[in-house]
Amino acid sequence: AQTVTQSQPEMSVQEAETVTLSCTYDTSESNYYLFWYKQPPSRQMILVIRQEAYKQQNATENRFSVNFQKAAKSFSLKISDSQLGDTAMYFCAFMSNAGGTSYGKLTFGQGTILTVHP
Amino acid sequence: SAVISQKPSRDICQRGTSLTIQCQVDSQVTMMFWYRQQPGQSLTLIATANQGSEATYESGFVIDKFPISRPNLTFSTLTVSNMSPEDSSIYLCSVREDMNTEAFFGQGTRLTVV
């Protein structure tokens, strides 16, 4: 079974600054996906960024980028130029691409509450 | 991208009763899942809703407590049966068209059992 660990229950950052959220995972598989989801107070889960494990290049989406270290099983999220609207709970998630009983299922970390201060 | 309508958005229920949550998708999707998010906690997968057959439940979740229906590729229901205060959570429906697409989530149902 896979596990996902987010060791930072809460983080805060000043508007326009940069913040990095940490995530580590454990798996014996070699083919998988990793995701960062954002959950604002509205409860709506929003995909921030995804990374395919077979890709060495780190994914980027505008102000969001990841540092994917496959050997270390680490997947951190960097938010640049933080905005007030980035305030939310952020979840790191793992999905196996191996098929079988794990097909399509997401395993989530505990979450990190990010607060952006003006 | 799939648009998901989940109903009700919230409810307050008496212990011992049951609540059925609906998840309607605006397009046919291969995979549908139900997650539970306890207060201040992460999301935990309850089950995979299988079209035309019984749902596949994760460890710790049973059909008698969380019966699930999926009559077609766009609709599913989750029932929380014989509720207790420990069932107070947010319940989320999630869909995925295939492994190469992102997972989309409903807005969740906030359930409070009193």
Side-chain angles (χ1 to χ4, degrees), chain A residues 29-66:
Chain A
E29 299 180 14
S30 59
N31 191 8
Y32 50 87
Y33 297 89
L34 295 164
F35 306 87
W36 279 97
Y37 280 89
K38 166 185 176 181
Q39 187 181 41
S42 68
R43 303 198 306 264
Q44 183 68 54
M45 293 287 286
I46 302 166
L47 178 67
V48 175
I49 199 165
R50 77 182 247 168
Q51 174 81 43
E52 290 88 344
Y54 67 87
K55 290 186 177 179
Q56 293 185 337
Q57 186 174 6
N58 289 325
T60 62
E61 286 288 342
N62 300 313
R63 298 183 294 108
F64 300 89
S65 62
V66 298

mmCIF file of all heavy atoms in Angstrom, chain A residues 29-66:
data_model
loop_
_atom_site.group_PDB
_atom_site.id
_atom_site.type_symbol
_atom_site.label_atom_id
_atom_site.label_comp_id
_atom_site.label_asym_id
_atom_site.label_seq_id
_atom_site.Cartn_x
_atom_site.Cartn_y
_atom_site.Cartn_z
ATOM 1 N N GLU A 29 6.096 0.852 -6.352
ATOM 2 C CA GLU A 29 5.826 0.913 -7.779
ATOM 3 C C GLU A 29 6.752 1.902 -8.474
ATOM 4 O O GLU A 29 7.324 2.795 -7.852
ATOM 5 C CB GLU A 29 4.367 1.297 -8.002
ATOM 6 C CG GLU A 29 3.401 0.287 -7.391
ATOM 7 C CD GLU A 29 1.956 0.682 -7.610
ATOM 8 O OE1 GLU A 29 1.721 1.574 -8.440
ATOM 9 O OE2 GLU A 29 1.082 0.102 -6.968
ATOM 10 N N SER A 30 6.892 1.727 -9.770
ATOM 11 C CA SER A 30 7.749 2.618 -10.556
ATOM 12 C C SER A 30 6.941 3.509 -11.491
ATOM 13 O O SER A 30 7.452 4.509 -11.992
ATOM 14 C CB SER A 30 8.747 1.795 -11.371
ATOM 15 O OG SER A 30 8.047 0.909 -12.243
ATOM 16 N N ASN A 31 5.676 3.171 -11.691
ATOM 17 C CA ASN A 31 4.841 3.893 -12.639
ATOM 18 C C ASN A 31 3.641 4.462 -11.899
ATOM 19 O O ASN A 31 2.747 3.723 -11.490
ATOM 20 C CB ASN A 31 4.382 2.945 -13.757
ATOM 21 C CG ASN A 31 3.735 3.688 -14.895
ATOM 22 O OD1 ASN A 31 3.746 4.915 -14.942
ATOM 23 N ND2 ASN A 31 3.146 2.957 -15.801
ATOM 24 N N TYR A 32 3.639 5.776 -11.728
ATOM 25 C CA TYR A 32 2.563 6.386 -10.940
ATOM 26 C C TYR A 32 2.479 7.871 -11.263
ATOM 27 O O TYR A 32 3.289 8.410 -12.025
ATOM 28 C CB TYR A 32 2.812 6.179 -9.433
ATOM 29 C CG TYR A 32 4.198 6.574 -8.961
ATOM 30 C CD1 TYR A 32 4.477 7.882 -8.580
ATOM 31 C CD2 TYR A 32 5.211 5.618 -8.886
ATOM 32 C CE1 TYR A 32 5.743 8.231 -8.141
ATOM 33 C CE2 TYR A 32 6.481 5.969 -8.445
ATOM 34 C CZ TYR A 32 6.748 7.274 -8.078
ATOM 35 O OH TYR A 32 8.006 7.620 -7.636
ATOM 36 N N TYR A 33 1.452 8.496 -10.695
ATOM 37 C CA TYR A 33 1.250 9.932 -10.844
ATOM 38 C C TYR A 33 1.245 10.558 -9.444
ATOM 39 O O TYR A 33 0.817 9.936 -8.474
ATOM 40 C CB TYR A 33 -0.098 10.242 -11.500
ATOM 41 C CG TYR A 33 -0.268 9.720 -12.905
ATOM 42 C CD1 TYR A 33 -0.767 8.446 -13.148
ATOM 43 C CD2 TYR A 33 0.042 10.524 -14.009
ATOM 44 C CE1 TYR A 33 -0.941 7.975 -14.438
ATOM 45 C CE2 TYR A 33 -0.136 10.055 -15.305
ATOM 46 C CZ TYR A 33 -0.625 8.785 -15.511
ATOM 47 O OH TYR A 33 -0.802 8.322 -16.793
ATOM 48 N N LEU A 34 1.665 11.797 -9.395
ATOM 49 C CA LEU A 34 1.582 12.583 -8.174
ATOM 50 C C LEU A 34 0.845 13.878 -8.470
ATOM 51 O O LEU A 34 0.971 14.429 -9.564
ATOM 52 C CB LEU A 34 2.977 12.894 -7.628
ATOM 53 C CG LEU A 34 3.786 11.677 -7.158
ATOM 54 C CD1 LEU A 34 5.253 12.039 -7.012
ATOM 55 C CD2 LEU A 34 3.228 11.152 -5.838
ATOM 56 N N PHE A 35 0.093 14.344 -7.490
ATOM 57 C CA PHE A 35 -0.735 15.523 -7.677
ATOM 58 C C PHE A 35 -0.648 16.437 -6.457
ATOM 59 O O PHE A 35 -0.406 15.983 -5.338
ATOM 60 C CB PHE A 35 -2.219 15.136 -7.837
ATOM 61 C CG PHE A 35 -2.500 14.125 -8.905
ATOM 62 C CD1 PHE A 35 -2.431 12.766 -8.631
ATOM 63 C CD2 PHE A 35 -2.858 14.530 -10.176
ATOM 64 C CE1 PHE A 35 -2.697 11.827 -9.613
ATOM 65 C CE2 PHE A 35 -3.136 13.598 -11.168
ATOM 66 C CZ PHE A 35 -3.053 12.245 -10.885
ATOM 67 N N TRP A 36 -0.895 17.692 -6.694
ATOM 68 C CA TRP A 36 -1.213 18.628 -5.633
ATOM 69 C C TRP A 36 -2.622 19.162 -5.908
ATOM 70 O O TRP A 36 -2.911 19.639 -7.007
ATOM 71 C CB TRP A 36 -0.232 19.792 -5.578
ATOM 72 C CG TRP A 36 1.044 19.457 -4.873
ATOM 73 C CD1 TRP A 36 2.225 19.073 -5.424
ATOM 74 C CD2 TRP A 36 1.258 19.477 -3.456
ATOM 75 N NE1 TRP A 36 3.162 18.844 -4.445
ATOM 76 C CE2 TRP A 36 2.599 19.093 -3.226
ATOM 77 C CE3 TRP A 36 0.451 19.793 -2.355
ATOM 78 C CZ2 TRP A 36 3.152 19.009 -1.939
ATOM 79 C CZ3 TRP A 36 1.002 19.721 -1.077
ATOM 80 C CH2 TRP A 36 2.342 19.327 -0.885
ATOM 81 N N TYR A 37 -3.474 19.044 -4.876
ATOM 82 C CA TYR A 37 -4.824 19.586 -4.936
ATOM 83 C C TYR A 37 -4.943 20.711 -3.924
ATOM 84 O O TYR A 37 -4.345 20.680 -2.852
ATOM 85 C CB TYR A 37 -5.867 18.518 -4.618
ATOM 86 C CG TYR A 37 -6.202 17.600 -5.774
ATOM 87 C CD1 TYR A 37 -5.467 16.429 -5.991
ATOM 88 C CD2 TYR A 37 -7.241 17.898 -6.650
ATOM 89 C CE1 TYR A 37 -5.774 15.590 -7.051
ATOM 90 C CE2 TYR A 37 -7.549 17.061 -7.710
ATOM 91 C CZ TYR A 37 -6.812 15.915 -7.899
ATOM 92 O OH TYR A 37 -7.118 15.078 -8.949
ATOM 93 N N LYS A 38 -5.786 21.654 -4.257
ATOM 94 C CA LYS A 38 -6.083 22.788 -3.390
ATOM 95 C C LYS A 38 -7.545 22.686 -2.975
ATOM 96 O O LYS A 38 -8.420 22.413 -3.817
ATOM 97 C CB LYS A 38 -5.831 24.078 -4.172
ATOM 98 C CG LYS A 38 -6.372 25.345 -3.572
ATOM 99 C CD LYS A 38 -6.127 26.505 -4.542
ATOM 100 C CE LYS A 38 -6.730 27.799 -4.042
ATOM 101 N NZ LYS A 38 -6.513 28.911 -5.004
ATOM 102 N N GLN A 39 -7.809 22.891 -1.683
ATOM 103 C CA GLN A 39 -9.191 22.893 -1.201
ATOM 104 C C GLN A 39 -9.439 24.186 -0.421
ATOM 105 O O GLN A 39 -9.082 24.295 0.745
ATOM 106 C CB GLN A 39 -9.484 21.678 -0.321
ATOM 107 C CG GLN A 39 -10.954 21.556 0.062
ATOM 108 C CD GLN A 39 -11.231 20.358 0.960
ATOM 109 O OE1 GLN A 39 -10.463 20.064 1.865
ATOM 110 N NE2 GLN A 39 -12.336 19.663 0.686
ATOM 111 N N PRO A 40 -10.042 25.169 -1.058
ATOM 112 C CA PRO A 40 -10.375 26.415 -0.355
ATOM 113 C C PRO A 40 -11.557 26.186 0.576
ATOM 114 O O PRO A 40 -12.126 25.084 0.591
ATOM 115 C CB PRO A 40 -10.725 27.369 -1.501
ATOM 116 C CG PRO A 40 -11.135 26.486 -2.624
ATOM 117 C CD PRO A 40 -10.400 25.195 -2.465
ATOM 118 N N PRO A 41 -11.949 27.193 1.340
ATOM 119 C CA PRO A 41 -13.084 27.034 2.259
ATOM 120 C C PRO A 41 -14.368 26.599 1.569
ATOM 121 O O PRO A 41 -15.258 26.046 2.215
ATOM 122 C CB PRO A 41 -13.215 28.424 2.884
ATOM 123 C CG PRO A 41 -11.830 28.971 2.848
ATOM 124 C CD PRO A 41 -11.241 28.465 1.556
ATOM 125 N N SER A 42 -14.490 26.806 0.291
ATOM 126 C CA SER A 42 -15.677 26.360 -0.441
ATOM 127 C C SER A 42 -15.783 24.840 -0.524
ATOM 128 O O SER A 42 -16.812 24.305 -0.927
ATOM 129 C CB SER A 42 -15.643 26.924 -1.865
ATOM 130 O OG SER A 42 -14.581 26.335 -2.601
ATOM 131 N N ARG A 43 -14.741 24.126 -0.141
ATOM 132 C CA ARG A 43 -14.658 22.651 -0.151
ATOM 133 C C ARG A 43 -14.352 22.072 -1.534
ATOM 134 O O ARG A 43 -14.080 20.882 -1.638
ATOM 135 C CB ARG A 43 -15.926 21.985 0.374
ATOM 136 C CG ARG A 43 -16.370 22.347 1.743
ATOM 137 C CD ARG A 43 -17.339 21.305 2.272
ATOM 138 N NE ARG A 43 -18.455 21.079 1.383
ATOM 139 C CZ ARG A 43 -19.635 21.664 1.497
ATOM 140 N NH1 ARG A 43 -19.823 22.549 2.456
ATOM 141 N NH2 ARG A 43 -20.618 21.388 0.665
ATOM 142 N N GLN A 44 -14.402 22.873 -2.568
ATOM 143 C CA GLN A 44 -14.166 22.351 -3.914
ATOM 144 C C GLN A 44 -12.706 21.956 -4.080
ATOM 145 O O GLN A 44 -11.812 22.764 -3.872
ATOM 146 C CB GLN A 44 -14.538 23.409 -4.954
ATOM 147 C CG GLN A 44 -14.392 22.935 -6.378
ATOM 148 C CD GLN A 44 -15.401 21.858 -6.743
ATOM 149 O OE1 GLN A 44 -16.587 22.040 -6.589
ATOM 150 N NE2 GLN A 44 -14.901 20.724 -7.207
ATOM 151 N N MET A 45 -12.466 20.708 -4.442
ATOM 152 C CA MET A 45 -11.102 20.236 -4.691
ATOM 153 C C MET A 45 -10.681 20.683 -6.087
ATOM 154 O O MET A 45 -11.358 20.392 -7.074
ATOM 155 C CB MET A 45 -11.035 18.717 -4.590
ATOM 156 C CG MET A 45 -11.264 18.175 -3.191
ATOM 157 S SD MET A 45 -9.892 18.449 -2.107
ATOM 158 C CE MET A 45 -8.727 17.245 -2.700
ATOM 159 N N ILE A 46 -9.546 21.353 -6.153
ATOM 160 C CA ILE A 46 -9.056 21.900 -7.416
ATOM 161 C C ILE A 46 -7.659 21.363 -7.681
ATOM 162 O O ILE A 46 -6.774 21.453 -6.815
ATOM 163 C CB ILE A 46 -9.002 23.444 -7.353
ATOM 164 C CG1 ILE A 46 -10.395 24.012 -7.034
ATOM 165 C CG2 ILE A 46 -8.469 24.032 -8.652
ATOM 166 C CD1 ILE A 46 -10.383 25.466 -6.620
ATOM 167 N N LEU A 47 -7.462 20.799 -8.862
ATOM 168 C CA LEU A 47 -6.142 20.300 -9.216
ATOM 169 C C LEU A 47 -5.207 21.476 -9.466
ATOM 170 O O LEU A 47 -5.516 22.362 -10.256
ATOM 171 C CB LEU A 47 -6.216 19.419 -10.459
ATOM 172 C CG LEU A 47 -4.878 18.876 -10.956
ATOM 173 C CD1 LEU A 47 -4.304 17.888 -9.951
ATOM 174 C CD2 LEU A 47 -5.049 18.219 -12.320
ATOM 175 N N VAL A 48 -4.071 21.454 -8.790
ATOM 176 C CA VAL A 48 -3.072 22.509 -8.957
ATOM 177 C C VAL A 48 -2.039 22.091 -9.989
ATOM 178 O O VAL A 48 -1.712 22.845 -10.913
ATOM 179 C CB VAL A 48 -2.373 22.819 -7.609
ATOM 180 C CG1 VAL A 48 -1.241 23.828 -7.808
ATOM 181 C CG2 VAL A 48 -3.383 23.336 -6.585
ATOM 182 N N ILE A 49 -1.531 20.864 -9.854
ATOM 183 C CA ILE A 49 -0.452 20.424 -10.730
ATOM 184 C C ILE A 49 -0.330 18.905 -10.641
ATOM 185 O O ILE A 49 -0.686 18.313 -9.625
ATOM 186 C CB ILE A 49 0.868 21.125 -10.325
ATOM 187 C CG1 ILE A 49 1.902 21.094 -11.446
ATOM 188 C CG2 ILE A 49 1.408 20.569 -9.026
ATOM 189 C CD1 ILE A 49 3.046 22.078 -11.216
ATOM 190 N N ARG A 50 0.145 18.288 -11.708
ATOM 191 C CA ARG A 50 0.352 16.849 -11.700
ATOM 192 C C ARG A 50 1.714 16.524 -12.303
ATOM 193 O O ARG A 50 2.236 17.269 -13.126
ATOM 194 C CB ARG A 50 -0.762 16.119 -12.446
ATOM 195 C CG ARG A 50 -0.685 16.171 -13.952
ATOM 196 C CD ARG A 50 -1.878 15.455 -14.562
ATOM 197 N NE ARG A 50 -1.489 14.249 -15.261
ATOM 198 C CZ ARG A 50 -2.338 13.318 -15.681
ATOM 199 N NH1 ARG A 50 -3.612 13.427 -15.420
ATOM 200 N NH2 ARG A 50 -1.921 12.255 -16.328
ATOM 201 N N GLN A 51 2.240 15.383 -11.857
ATOM 202 C CA GLN A 51 3.557 14.935 -12.306
ATOM 203 C C GLN A 51 3.492 13.453 -12.628
ATOM 204 O O GLN A 51 3.035 12.664 -11.794
ATOM 205 C CB GLN A 51 4.592 15.183 -11.207
ATOM 206 C CG GLN A 51 5.981 14.641 -11.479
ATOM 207 C CD GLN A 51 6.808 15.543 -12.372
ATOM 208 O OE1 GLN A 51 6.816 16.762 -12.218
ATOM 209 N NE2 GLN A 51 7.540 14.960 -13.308
ATOM 210 N N GLU A 52 3.930 13.080 -13.810
ATOM 211 C CA GLU A 52 4.051 11.664 -14.135
ATOM 212 C C GLU A 52 5.411 11.180 -13.675
ATOM 213 O O GLU A 52 6.426 11.837 -13.945
ATOM 214 C CB GLU A 52 3.902 11.438 -15.636
ATOM 215 C CG GLU A 52 2.508 11.654 -16.170
ATOM 216 C CD GLU A 52 2.228 13.091 -16.569
ATOM 217 O OE1 GLU A 52 2.988 13.995 -16.167
ATOM 218 O OE2 GLU A 52 1.241 13.316 -17.294
ATOM 219 N N ALA A 53 5.467 10.052 -13.018
ATOM 220 C CA ALA A 53 6.717 9.578 -12.426
ATOM 221 C C ALA A 53 7.780 9.287 -13.468
ATOM 222 O O ALA A 53 8.983 9.373 -13.174
ATOM 223 C CB ALA A 53 6.466 8.340 -11.577
ATOM 224 N N TYR A 54 7.368 8.940 -14.686
ATOM 225 C CA TYR A 54 8.358 8.599 -15.698
ATOM 226 C C TYR A 54 9.020 9.833 -16.308
ATOM 227 O O TYR A 54 10.016 9.720 -17.022
ATOM 228 C CB TYR A 54 7.730 7.747 -16.798
ATOM 229 C CG TYR A 54 6.710 8.469 -17.645
ATOM 230 C CD1 TYR A 54 7.093 9.194 -18.763
ATOM 231 C CD2 TYR A 54 5.360 8.421 -17.332
ATOM 232 C CE1 TYR A 54 6.166 9.856 -19.557
ATOM 233 C CE2 TYR A 54 4.422 9.080 -18.117
ATOM 234 C CZ TYR A 54 4.834 9.799 -19.226
ATOM 235 O OH TYR A 54 3.905 10.451 -19.998
ATOM 236 N N LYS A 55 8.470 10.999 -16.023
ATOM 237 C CA LYS A 55 9.037 12.240 -16.544
ATOM 238 C C LYS A 55 10.045 12.810 -15.556
ATOM 239 O O LYS A 55 9.731 13.024 -14.387
ATOM 240 C CB LYS A 55 7.929 13.262 -16.804
ATOM 241 C CG LYS A 55 7.024 12.906 -17.965
ATOM 242 C CD LYS A 55 6.053 14.034 -18.257
ATOM 243 C CE LYS A 55 5.177 13.728 -19.463
ATOM 244 N NZ LYS A 55 4.202 14.815 -19.741
ATOM 245 N N GLN A 56 11.237 13.064 -16.027
ATOM 246 C CA GLN A 56 12.264 13.632 -15.163
ATOM 247 C C GLN A 56 12.074 15.136 -14.976
ATOM 248 O O GLN A 56 12.454 15.691 -13.949
ATOM 249 C CB GLN A 56 13.644 13.338 -15.722
ATOM 250 C CG GLN A 56 14.020 11.856 -15.704
ATOM 251 C CD GLN A 56 15.445 11.618 -16.162
ATOM 252 O OE1 GLN A 56 16.012 12.445 -16.871
ATOM 253 N NE2 GLN A 56 16.018 10.504 -15.773
ATOM 254 N N GLN A 57 11.480 15.777 -15.966
ATOM 255 C CA GLN A 57 11.290 17.218 -15.883
ATOM 256 C C GLN A 57 10.192 17.555 -14.887
ATOM 257 O O GLN A 57 9.105 16.967 -14.901
ATOM 258 C CB GLN A 57 10.926 17.773 -17.251
ATOM 259 C CG GLN A 57 10.850 19.279 -17.298
ATOM 260 C CD GLN A 57 10.634 19.794 -18.707
ATOM 261 O OE1 GLN A 57 10.434 19.021 -19.647
ATOM 262 N NE2 GLN A 57 10.680 21.105 -18.861
ATOM 263 N N ASN A 58 10.502 18.516 -14.036
ATOM 264 C CA ASN A 58 9.522 18.953 -13.042
ATOM 265 C C ASN A 58 8.385 19.714 -13.711
ATOM 266 O O ASN A 58 8.606 20.566 -14.574
ATOM 267 C CB ASN A 58 10.195 19.842 -12.004
ATOM 268 C CG ASN A 58 11.127 19.070 -11.101
ATOM 269 O OD1 ASN A 58 10.859 17.915 -10.760
ATOM 270 N ND2 ASN A 58 12.221 19.685 -10.706
ATOM 271 N N ALA A 59 7.160 19.417 -13.274
ATOM 272 C CA ALA A 59 5.992 20.094 -13.833
ATOM 273 C C ALA A 59 5.895 21.533 -13.327
ATOM 274 O O ALA A 59 6.293 21.841 -12.199
ATOM 275 C CB ALA A 59 4.731 19.325 -13.448
ATOM 276 N N THR A 60 5.383 22.402 -14.183
ATOM 277 C CA THR A 60 5.125 23.789 -13.795
ATOM 278 C C THR A 60 3.781 24.217 -14.360
ATOM 279 O O THR A 60 3.382 23.772 -15.450
ATOM 280 C CB THR A 60 6.219 24.744 -14.323
ATOM 281 O OG1 THR A 60 6.212 24.693 -15.756
ATOM 282 C CG2 THR A 60 7.586 24.354 -13.816
ATOM 283 N N GLU A 61 3.085 25.050 -13.605
ATOM 284 C CA GLU A 61 1.809 25.632 -14.027
ATOM 285 C C GLU A 61 1.779 27.062 -13.511
ATOM 286 O O GLU A 61 1.404 27.321 -12.385
ATOM 287 C CB GLU A 61 0.623 24.847 -13.471
ATOM 288 C CG GLU A 61 0.353 23.518 -14.120
ATOM 289 C CD GLU A 61 -0.231 23.635 -15.525
ATOM 290 O OE1 GLU A 61 -0.751 24.713 -15.886
ATOM 291 O OE2 GLU A 61 -0.161 22.635 -16.257
ATOM 292 N N ASN A 62 2.204 27.974 -14.363
ATOM 293 C CA ASN A 62 2.208 29.397 -13.996
ATOM 294 C C ASN A 62 3.044 29.611 -12.726
ATOM 295 O O ASN A 62 4.244 29.359 -12.729
ATOM 296 C CB ASN A 62 0.778 29.905 -13.843
ATOM 297 C CG ASN A 62 -0.012 29.750 -15.122
ATOM 298 O OD1 ASN A 62 0.459 30.099 -16.197
ATOM 299 N ND2 ASN A 62 -1.215 29.177 -15.028
ATOM 300 N N ARG A 63 2.422 30.035 -11.640
ATOM 301 C CA ARG A 63 3.175 30.321 -10.402
ATOM 302 C C ARG A 63 3.490 29.073 -9.583
ATOM 303 O O ARG A 63 4.156 29.165 -8.544
ATOM 304 C CB ARG A 63 2.348 31.288 -9.538
ATOM 305 C CG ARG A 63 2.075 32.638 -10.175
ATOM 306 C CD ARG A 63 1.320 33.552 -9.231
ATOM 307 N NE ARG A 63 -0.028 33.061 -8.935
ATOM 308 C CZ ARG A 63 -0.392 32.554 -7.764
ATOM 309 N NH1 ARG A 63 0.496 32.444 -6.771
ATOM 310 N NH2 ARG A 63 -1.639 32.152 -7.563
ATOM 311 N N PHE A 64 3.000 27.933 -10.020
ATOM 312 C CA PHE A 64 3.159 26.694 -9.266
ATOM 313 C C PHE A 64 4.174 25.787 -9.964
ATOM 314 O O PHE A 64 4.105 25.582 -11.173
ATOM 315 C CB PHE A 64 1.819 25.968 -9.150
ATOM 316 C CG PHE A 64 0.755 26.766 -8.453
ATOM 317 C CD1 PHE A 64 -0.072 27.624 -9.165
ATOM 318 C CD2 PHE A 64 0.582 26.665 -7.082
ATOM 319 C CE1 PHE A 64 -1.061 28.369 -8.521
ATOM 320 C CE2 PHE A 64 -0.402 27.393 -6.428
ATOM 321 C CZ PHE A 64 -1.217 28.246 -7.146
ATOM 322 N N SER A 65 5.080 25.246 -9.181
ATOM 323 C CA SER A 65 6.040 24.299 -9.722
ATOM 324 C C SER A 65 6.336 23.245 -8.666
ATOM 325 O O SER A 65 6.087 23.441 -7.474
ATOM 326 C CB SER A 65 7.329 25.014 -10.153
ATOM 327 O OG SER A 65 7.941 25.634 -9.032
ATOM 328 N N VAL A 66 6.841 22.117 -9.127
ATOM 329 C CA VAL A 66 7.155 21.040 -8.193
ATOM 330 C C VAL A 66 8.639 20.720 -8.284
ATOM 331 O O VAL A 66 9.301 20.988 -9.276
ATOM 332 C CB VAL A 66 6.323 19.770 -8.468
ATOM 333 C CG1 VAL A 66 4.841 20.059 -8.300
ATOM 334 C CG2 VAL A 66 6.642 19.178 -9.834
#
